[in-house]
Amino acid sequence: MSQTNRRSQLIMGALPFVMMAIVAAVDLSTGPGVGYISLLALGPAFASLVGGVRRTLLIGLIALALSVALSLYNDLLGRRPGNMSLITISGVTAAGVLATRERQRRERELADVRSIAAVAQNVLLRPVPRRAGHLRAAVSYTSAKAEARIGGDLYEVVTGPSGVRVIVGDVQGKGLEAVETAALVLGAFREAAHDEPELLGVSERLEKALNRRLSGEEFVTAVLAEAHPGGTLTLLNYGHPAPLILRANGKVEFAEPKEPAPPLGMAMLAVEGPRPYTVRFEPGDQILLYTDGVVEARDRKGHFYPLEERVSLLKDDDPEAALEALRRDLVAHVDGPLHDDAAMLLLRSRDA
C-alpha cells in the first residue's frame, strides 16, 4: 500500500471519532435548545466506509452511549428529542452494518479478480530470461488499470535453433478481447519462433493466426527482432514505434524502417507487409523496444515523455535495475495513473 493510501486509511479510520467528538462538544456548548444529539449518527455512518462489521457496531454503541450521556446532561432522556436521537443512531448503525457487509463482499470479489488477473498475467506475460544467447534481457510492464494489472501489450523472448527472437506488440483496444488477442499472438510467436528458419516466416504465421480471429478494424502493432552473434539485428516493424538503440559510446538513434508498413491483422488492405532491415548491434550496445504507452505518456502540463532524453538512465550494470530506473522516471513524469499500458523490453549485447 502506498503512503498516500495509508494516510487516507488513517484519516477515514479516525473520522467517526472526530465527528462524534465535535458533535458532543457543540452540543455541550450550545445547550439543549438546539438539539445536535442526533448528529452523533455521523459516527456509525462514516464507520461503514472502512473497517469491519464489529468496528461499525462498536462505534454505533459508542454513539448511543454518548447520546444517553448528553440526554441526561440536557435533561432530555425519555423525552421526544432524546428518544429520536436514540432511534436515529440505532437506525443508522443498522444501515451501516449492512453497508459494511456489502462493502466487504465487494472487496473480496475485487481481491479475487486481482488475484486471477495476476495469475493470467504470469501465464500470458511470462518473465523473460535474464540471458538469451549473447544477449542480456529485462522487461517492465505497467498497466494503466491497477485493479486489472493486465492489458493488450505483449512481449516475449525466445531462444530457438535460429537464434534469439523477440516480439513487442500492442493490441488495438482494451478489455478481455485485447487480452485474448495478445494471448493468440504470443502463442503463435512462441511456436513459430522455434519452427521457422526466417523471421518473415514467423510474421506470416502471426498474420494467419490473427486473420482467422480478427475482424473489422482490429489490429496489432508489433516489432519482431532476431539477434545474430555477428553483431547485427534483423527487424520487422508492423506500424509500431521504432526501437531505440543506445550505443556503447553513448550515441542514441532510432531503428526506423525504410518504409512504413501496416499493423498485423490488416490483410483486408491487400498491401505488402514490411521488409526486414538490419542494424548494427555490437557488444555494449542496448536496444529498447516499447509500446506507445511509453512515448505517449503525458505529464500534468500535457508534455509527452521525452524517452530519447531519458535513456541515459539505462546505465546500471544490471539491465533489470536500469530498466526499473527508467520505469520509475516514467511514472514520476506522469505523476498519476498512466492513460495506457506501458511495456518496455531492454536487450543488451555482450561478447558473443
Side-chain angles (χ1 to χ4, degrees):
M1 184 184 295
S2 67
Q3 186 175 357
T4 302
N5 288 337
R6 289 196 196 96
R7 189 183 300 114
S8 177
Q9 290 285 335
L10 289 173
I11 292 174
M12 294 301 295
L15 191 57
F17 301 100
V18 172
M19 295 304 300
M20 290 189 296
I22 292 175
V23 171
V26 172
D27 186 79
L28 288 172
S29 63
T30 57
V34 181
Y36 286 108
I37 302 179
S38 294
L39 291 179
L40 290 170
L42 290 172
F46 282 111
S48 65
L49 299 177
V50 294
V53 171
R54 291 183 180 179
R55 180 176 180 275
T56 302
L57 187 58
L58 176 62
I59 292 176
L61 293 175
I62 294 173
L64 285 172
L66 280 173
S67 176
V68 171
L70 290 173
S71 294
L72 284 172
Y73 178 81
N74 292 321
D75 195 24
L76 295 175
L77 191 63
R79 298 170 62 182
R80 183 175 180 180
N83 294 337
M84 286 300 299
S85 67
L86 293 175
I87 294 172
T88 300
I89 295 170
S90 299
V92 172
T93 300
V97 168
L98 293 175
T100 301
R101 291 182 61 182
E102 179 65 17
R103 174 178 54 79
Q104 288 183 316
R105 183 186 67 82
R106 292 179 179 273
E107 288 175 349
R108 287 192 295 269
E109 290 179 352
L110 180 58
D112 290 341
V113 170
R114 286 176 173 173
S115 177
I116 293 171
V119 173
Q121 185 178 36
N122 289 335
V123 173
L124 180 62
L125 299 176
R126 302 178 302 195
V128 301
R130 291 177 61 90
R131 293 181 181 272
H134 65 290
L135 303 178
R136 299 174 67 193
V139 71
S140 169
Y141 185 95
T142 306
S143 175
K145 295 184 177 180
E147 66 273 13
R149 301 183 185 177
I150 193 168
D153 287 6
L154 57 97
Y155 55 81
E156 185 58 288
V157 177
V158 174
T159 303
S162 300
V164 180
R165 287 171 171 173
V166 175
I167 185 173
V168 170
D170 187 2
V171 179
Q172 179 266 340
K174 300 294 179 185
L176 289 178
E177 289 187 359
V179 175
E180 291 174 1
T181 303
L184 177 68
V185 172
L186 287 173
F189 176 79
R190 287 163 181 161
E191 182 178 352
H194 283 282
D195 298 341
E196 296 293 336
E198 301 292 336
L199 193 61
L200 270 175
V202 177
S203 67
E204 289 171 0
R205 292 269 290 272
L206 298 184
E207 282 280 16
K208 290 179 181 178
L210 281 171
N211 291 332
R212 285 195 296 265
R213 182 188 185 278
L214 298 185
S215 60
E217 298 180 353
E218 296 176 297
F219 58 85
V220 180
T221 67
V223 171
L224 282 71
E226 182 176 88
H228 308 287
T232 59
L233 278 176
T234 299
L235 300 170
L236 279 172
N237 193 318
Y238 286 86
H240 199 77
L244 187 148
I245 298 178
L246 178 61
R247 299 294 181 191
N249 60 8
K251 183 180 178 182
V252 178
E253 58 188 67
F254 286 93
E256 295 277 2
K258 295 181 180 180
E259 298 177 0
L264 291 163
M266 303 290 286
M268 75 288 294
L269 296 180
V271 296
E272 186 178 354
R275 295 180 180 179
Y277 60 104
T278 302
V279 296
R280 290 187 301 105
F281 196 58
E282 300 172 348
D285 291 347
Q286 303 183 76
I287 185 168
L288 181 68
L289 296 90
Y290 52 91
T291 58
D292 57 9
V294 176
V295 290
E296 293 180 1
R298 298 172 182 258
D299 62 12
R300 295 185 181 275
K301 296 181 180 179
H303 299 145
F304 290 112
Y305 182 66
L307 178 61
E308 187 175 0
E309 299 173 11
R310 304 298 177 85
V311 290
S312 58
L313 294 170
L314 301 173
K315 58 187 178 182
D316 197 288
D317 290 337
D318 182 4
E320 291 185 352
L323 193 57
E324 176 61 17
L326 187 64
R327 189 198 69 83
R328 287 198 302 266
D329 186 70
L330 171 67
V331 173
H333 173 82
V334 177
D335 193 23
L338 297 180
H339 299 294
D340 194 6
D341 299 339
M344 295 184 287
L345 177 64
L346 179 66
L347 299 176
R348 280 185 179 173
S349 177
R350 55 193 179 93
D351 292 338

